[in-house]
Amino acid sequence: FNKIVTMTRVTITTTATEGPCDAKCLGNFPIPSPPLHKTTAKGYTIVIGIEGSANKIGVGVLLYDPAKDTYETLSNPRKTFISPTGHGFLPKETSWHHQNHVVALVRTAISEAQQHEPFLPNKDIAAVCYTQGPGMGAPLRSCAVAARTLSLLFQCPLVAVNHCVAHIEMGRVATSAPNPVVLYVSGGNTQVIAYNDQRYRIFGETIDIAIGNCLDRFARIIGLSNDPSPGYNIEQLALLGGHVFIPLPYTVKGMDVSFSGILTHIEQEAKTNLQKGHVTKADLCFSLQETLFAMLVEITERAMAHCGQNQVLIVGGVGCNKRLQQMMQCMVSERGGELCAMDHRYCIDNGAMIAQAGILALQHGITTNLEDSTCTQRYRTDQVQTIWRPPIVWKHS
């Protein structure tokens, strides 16, 4: 489902569009009528979303059809900054990457979207949505500047979006999950989340580094490539392991987890037993995945029990790991529940998820003034009031 689009001497990998997703199953508040924003001649609401909080920059175009009450991703191209093997990505270099590619991505996103639904950008786009945070400062600022420029160019309002909430709302729409317990796992975040009283409440999280950061740093230790991503390469190498399981620290503290000690321990294993030939890289990858994912499954199950929920939604870049999905599926099945998971098209950072959270806010009257269109590296998931969702009371099991 991948195809290559070449524009302005930039090769862009874009994902195939999905079919319309039913909004009725989400259980959100009814959308005000008449709309609080501009629409196309057919009554559609079209928004652009720009994501660039880390090493990926994506631009998505999303359409809402009020007649069918559906959301549809019309286009969702993305470009990734890949650093050399053994190195991470630095804010300055990442921001340069985003600045170099954002114009071509916007052109590609709009031209692809127009193939599905003809529209005039300066007339029909209802809003430009952008990632306000959390994330890396320089990349966030680069995308915020692009969003402000498009807002002025298309004469439409801005909508600032919380990156974490965008992951959740994209997952809810894509998997038709009305009220799941959410496991959010990425390079910068590790959280177990449940919705209550118009906020996504954090039940547990990492107390040091995120799981994606732990995997990325381990990949650098053993010399794995960053292409297409360190986590993916660890996942593939782990499939070759399993002959030797290396006991690692299992650090669950109540509902929170800690990964830094595990990383230090397995780094010593790599420096000693790997060099001596006692273990293989595959064994190390297998052991690390099994330990980290078991910790995440444990705290997710406790959140399910506390909230009385039978659905789990996995979002974030690490969420497309098949082994994590398998382990979570085992736990959820034993509880008679359902796992809602996605592949890399929507787990990994993308513009459509920003557009999805942005359009929900826009439809209920939330926009961002140009002078307030800032960005921040720290923006907690539970700081956002999700006014598009009605309050829900937990039922403990």
Side-chain angles (χ1 to χ4, degrees):
F1 43 71
N2 285 343
K3 60 181 179 179
I4 303 297
V5 177
T6 304
M7 290 188 63
T8 63
R9 296 176 296 177
V10 178
T11 301
I12 302 170
T13 303
T14 181
T15 53
T17 51
E18 292 290 311
C21 298
D22 188 7
K24 301 182 185 68
C25 65
L26 300 178
N28 292 343
F29 278 127
I31 297 170
S33 181
L36 304 177
H37 48 80
K38 68 179 179 181
T39 60
T40 69
K42 296 180 181 179
Y44 299 152
T45 300
I46 299 176
V47 300
I48 288 182
I50 302 177
E51 156 58 25
S53 60
N55 69 324
K56 295 174 179 62
I57 178 168
V59 179
V61 178
L62 193 79
L63 179 146
Y64 173 73
D65 183 348
K68 299 178 181 178
D69 197 14
T70 58
Y71 294 101
E72 182 176 6
T73 300
L74 300 182
S75 61
N76 197 22
R78 177 174 58 207
K79 187 74 175 177
T80 303
F81 172 61
I82 298 175
S83 53
T85 300
H87 297 268
F89 50 91
L90 301 176
K92 182 186 292 186
E93 296 171 350
T94 307
S95 66
W96 291 342
H97 170 271
H98 292 3
Q99 292 163 24
N100 289 335
H101 294 298
V102 66
V103 173
L105 283 168
V106 169
R107 288 175 175 170
T108 299
I110 290 176
S111 62
E112 283 188 6
Q114 288 172 330
Q115 295 175 17
H116 296 276
E117 176 59 39
F119 66 92
L120 298 174
N122 59 347
K123 179 182 177 182
D124 294 329
I125 292 179
V128 176
C129 314
Y130 77 98
T131 306
Q132 188 172 36
M136 301 170 69
L140 283 172
R141 284 196 301 270
S142 298
C143 293
V145 170
R148 294 183 202 118
T149 304
L150 291 176
S151 172
L152 295 172
L153 180 65
F154 298 151
Q155 299 180 355
C156 63
L158 287 163
V159 180
V161 172
N162 179 289
H163 179 88
C164 313
V165 172
H167 270 297
I168 297 171
E169 295 302 342
M170 184 80 257
R172 289 179 65 229
V173 171
T175 65
S176 301
N179 188 36
V181 169
V182 180
L183 175 64
Y184 173 32
V185 279
S186 68
N189 298 275
T190 303
Q191 298 174 347
V192 175
I193 301 164
Y195 174 78
N196 179 257
D197 196 21
Q198 293 196 314
R199 292 187 190 270
Y200 287 111
R201 310 290 178 174
I202 301 172
F203 272 66
E205 59 189 322
T206 175
I207 60 175
D208 40 50
I209 61 175
I211 185 170
N213 185 250
C214 178
L215 293 170
D216 290 353
R217 289 164 65 176
F218 174 67
R220 294 202 291 269
I221 290 170
I222 62 174
L224 294 185
S225 171
N226 292 321
D227 188 10
S229 71
Y232 176 81
N233 293 330
I234 288 176
E235 178 184 2
Q236 298 308 305
L237 200 52
L239 295 174
L240 306 177
H243 303 293
V244 177
F245 177 79
I246 303 160
L248 299 173
Y250 187 91
T251 319
V252 175
K253 300 177 181 291
M255 282 295 293
D256 295 329
V257 291
S258 173
F259 300 126
S260 59
I262 301 173
L263 179 62
T264 301
H265 187 96
I266 200 166
E267 181 178 2
Q268 294 302 316
E269 288 284 344
K271 289 180 178 178
T272 55
N273 292 332
L274 181 60
Q275 292 180 355
K276 295 178 181 178
H278 296 166
V279 296
T280 66
K281 290 182 180 181
D283 293 328
L284 290 171
C285 292
F286 171 80
S287 303
L288 182 62
Q289 278 199 164
E290 294 297 303
T291 304
L292 298 182
F293 296 165
M295 294 162 57
L296 296 176
V297 171
E298 178 185 335
I299 61 174
T300 303
E301 183 174 16
R302 280 206 291 271
M304 289 180 69
H306 181 81
C307 300
Q309 304 290 4
N310 65 352
Q311 277 188 331
V312 172
L313 170 65
I314 307 177
V315 300
V318 182
C320 55
N321 185 294
K322 296 298 183 182
R323 180 55 183 156
L324 174 59
Q325 294 180 8
Q326 290 171 359
M327 294 175 69
M328 193 66 71
Q329 180 66 64
C330 290
M331 179 275 289
V332 171
S333 297
E334 290 177 356
R335 296 181 62 85
E338 178 187 5
L339 174 65
C340 303
M342 302 175 288
D343 61 22
H344 67 91
R345 289 173 293 178
Y346 295 116
C347 271
I348 295 174
D349 294 350
N350 62 90
M353 73 182 201
I354 303 302
Q356 182 62 64
I359 198 173
L360 291 172
L362 176 72
Q363 288 172 326
H364 290 83
I366 297 179
T367 58
T368 304
N369 295 327
L370 187 68
E371 59 270 22
D372 298 325
S373 58
T374 58
C375 49
T376 175
Q377 292 179 268
R378 293 179 175 85
Y379 193 4
R380 297 277 292 178
T381 311
D382 51 12
Q383 287 181 249
V384 179
Q385 184 178 9
T386 55
I387 66 168
W388 52 88
R389 293 193 62 180
I392 294 176
V393 179
W394 290 326
K395 297 179 181 179
H396 305 297
S397 62

